[in-house]
Amino acid sequence: MDSFPVEILSKIFTNVLPPEINDVRYRVDNPATVQATISSVCQRWHQIAESTAALWTFIILNKRTKSKEGIKRRLGLSGNLPLHVSMQVSGWEPRLDDLGDAKNESFREMHALLVEHVGRWKTLRVEARMELPSELRR
C-alpha cells in the first residue's frame, strides 16, 4: 500500500462513506468510526486522512459526543466543503467522571459551534424522542 498514490487512497477513503447521512445503500452507522479506523492504520494513512477534507464532512452530535474540540477538529479538517450534520437531541445528559466534574460539554455549546457553519450544511438529520400524550396512545 505504500506505493499507492495519495489521490487513489484518498478516493478509496471517501468512497467508504455514504454520499449523505442514512443512505440505505451503505452500512455505516457512525462515520466517526470510519474516520478513526482509517486514521489509525498507520502514520501515512493518518496523514492522508487528515488531508482528505471530504472524509470529515459528516458531523454527528449526540449524547456520546464528548467535546467542542472534536467538533472543531472535524470542522477544520472538512475545509469549506458542505457538511452532513446529524443531531440526536433527546437523552442529553452530561456524563460525570469520578470527581463529579462534567466530562461532556453541553449540547448547546456544541450546537452553537455547528450553527456558526450553518451555511455549509448540505443535509441535516434531527432525531428526537418524546412521550406521546395519553390521548394518542392506544
Side-chain angles (χ1 to χ4, degrees):
M1 294 299 278
D2 286 343
S3 62
F4 262 59
V6 170
E7 297 79 14
I8 292 176
L9 279 174
S10 180
K11 189 69 172 165
I12 290 169
F13 294 169
T14 57
N15 281 329
V16 173
L17 294 172
E20 294 185 7
I21 291 175
N22 291 337
D23 188 317
V24 295
R25 298 171 296 171
Y26 289 74
R27 295 180 186 260
V28 175
D29 292 328
N30 187 351
T33 303
V34 173
Q35 297 160 341
T37 301
I38 290 171
S39 296
S40 300
V41 170
C42 65
Q43 186 168 351
R44 181 170 187 250
W45 280 31
H46 179 82
Q47 292 169 343
I48 294 169
E50 288 204 338
S51 66
T52 305
L55 187 61
W56 305 96
T57 59
F58 288 83
I59 298 180
I60 297 176
L61 180 57
N62 61 28
K63 62 186 175 184
R64 291 182 300 272
T65 307
K66 292 185 173 80
S67 73
K68 266 191 327 192
E69 294 309 312
I71 299 224
K72 278 183 184 177
R73 182 173 181 273
R74 282 182 170 76
L75 288 168
L77 291 172
S78 66
N80 290 318
L81 294 178
L83 299 172
H84 304 281
V85 177
S86 177
M87 294 183 204
Q88 181 183 22
V89 295
S90 56
W92 194 267
E93 296 176 21
R95 291 179 283 196
L96 300 177
D97 65 14
D98 294 337
L99 300 174
D101 298 324
K103 282 171 98 173
N104 286 0
E105 296 179 40
S106 77
F107 175 87
R108 289 180 191 208
E109 290 176 31
M110 289 187 264
H111 178 263
L113 180 60
L114 282 174
V115 168
E116 291 175 19
H117 297 269
V118 71
R120 294 176 52 201
W121 293 7
K122 181 177 181 179
T123 59
L124 171 64
R125 176 178 180 251
V126 178
E127 180 183 327
R129 295 192 179 119
M130 56 190 269
E131 291 285 322
L132 284 175
S134 58
E135 303 84 40
L136 298 176
R137 290 188 222 147
R138 290 187 180 199

